[in-house]
Amino acid sequence: MCDLVARTGRHQQRYDAGCRLVAGCIPFRYRYDGGEYTDEKTIEVLMISSASGPGLLFPKGGWENDETVEEAAIREAIEEAGVKGELKDLLGHYDFRSKTHQDEFCPEGLCKAAMFALLVEEELESWPEQSIRMRSWLTIPEAVENCRHPWMREALEDGFLKWYSEKMDHD
């Protein structure tokens, strides 16, 4: 049984000009394919199953008014994917329309997601949404192919890969 509880409800959600503000992350790790003479590392990203249909997602959810956007991204990674780690840089802001999150403050379902890179350091054995979500570690090409939403694919291809090549590839 998981001691953590996922936040629910809309009373603490942040909005900006009728747009729901969302925070999320692209969790990643390295898989080392060490042979006798090589120590090649492959980047894998963690995706989760959607509670509302086919395809895979990155953890994300509403940014609430009692937390920073970074805290919201970390909370969503724990609640939805059951992972903890080091939050890295902001990858960008991505606009999308949500049919399931239309409400009195956001009748058009417009959302703006702040997406971060998260270097995973721990996978929890139990987490709040484990009964409705499956975790999958995928290579970048697999993630691009299985990504449910175009804006998440854009965050991966234009945000994460560009950031990674500029910041992380030189370590």
Side-chain angles (χ1 to χ4, degrees):
M1 185 65 201
C2 185
D3 295 335
L4 298 167
V5 176
R7 290 185 175 201
T8 58
R10 289 290 158 92
H11 58 283
Q12 298 228 45
Q13 293 289 292
R14 287 184 192 239
Y15 294 87
D16 180 27
C19 195
R20 182 170 172 253
L21 301 181
V22 170
C25 63
I26 296 180
F28 73 101
R29 71 178 181 190
Y30 299 107
R31 185 183 75 219
Y32 290 94
D33 302 319
E36 193 172 331
Y37 300 106
T38 64
D39 198 15
E40 290 290 315
K41 65 181 178 185
T42 301
I43 306 167
E44 293 181 318
V45 294
L46 182 67
M47 298 190 81
I48 55 176
S49 59
S50 169
S52 63
L56 296 175
L57 313 170
F58 294 112
K60 60 107 182 93
W63 172 20
E64 300 189 354
N65 58 25
D66 64 344
E67 61 190 352
T68 66
V69 67
E70 293 86 359
E71 288 169 341
I74 290 167
R75 175 178 54 76
E76 290 296 337
I78 293 168
E79 287 180 2
E80 293 190 351
V83 292
K84 292 181 177 180
E86 181 184 347
L87 197 68
K88 300 285 190 177
D89 297 317
L90 175 68
L91 301 173
H93 291 91
Y94 301 88
D95 296 328
F96 66 99
R97 187 178 297 269
S98 171
K99 291 184 180 78
T100 58
H101 289 102
Q102 295 171 328
D103 59 33
E104 63 192 296
F105 303 109
C106 183
E108 301 296 316
L110 299 174
C111 299
K112 180 186 285 290
M115 294 295 285
F116 295 85
L118 177 80
L119 179 57
V120 173
E121 296 168 342
E122 181 183 0
E123 284 185 66
L124 304 174
E125 288 186 30
S126 65
W127 68 97
E129 296 188 15
Q130 70 183 36
S131 64
I132 59 169
R133 300 204 188 265
M134 299 287 294
R135 297 187 284 211
S136 301
W137 284 103
L138 304 169
T139 63
I140 302 293
E142 289 170 337
V144 168
E145 188 177 315
N146 288 284
C147 200
R148 178 174 179 178
H149 300 299
W151 74 267
M152 285 191 178
R153 191 174 308 115
E154 181 186 344
L156 178 62
E157 293 180 308
D158 298 340
F160 181 82
L161 287 178
K162 183 174 181 238
W163 166 81
Y164 185 84
S165 67
E166 291 173 1
K167 297 278 175 108
M168 300 295 288
D169 215 12
H170 305 294
D171 290 353

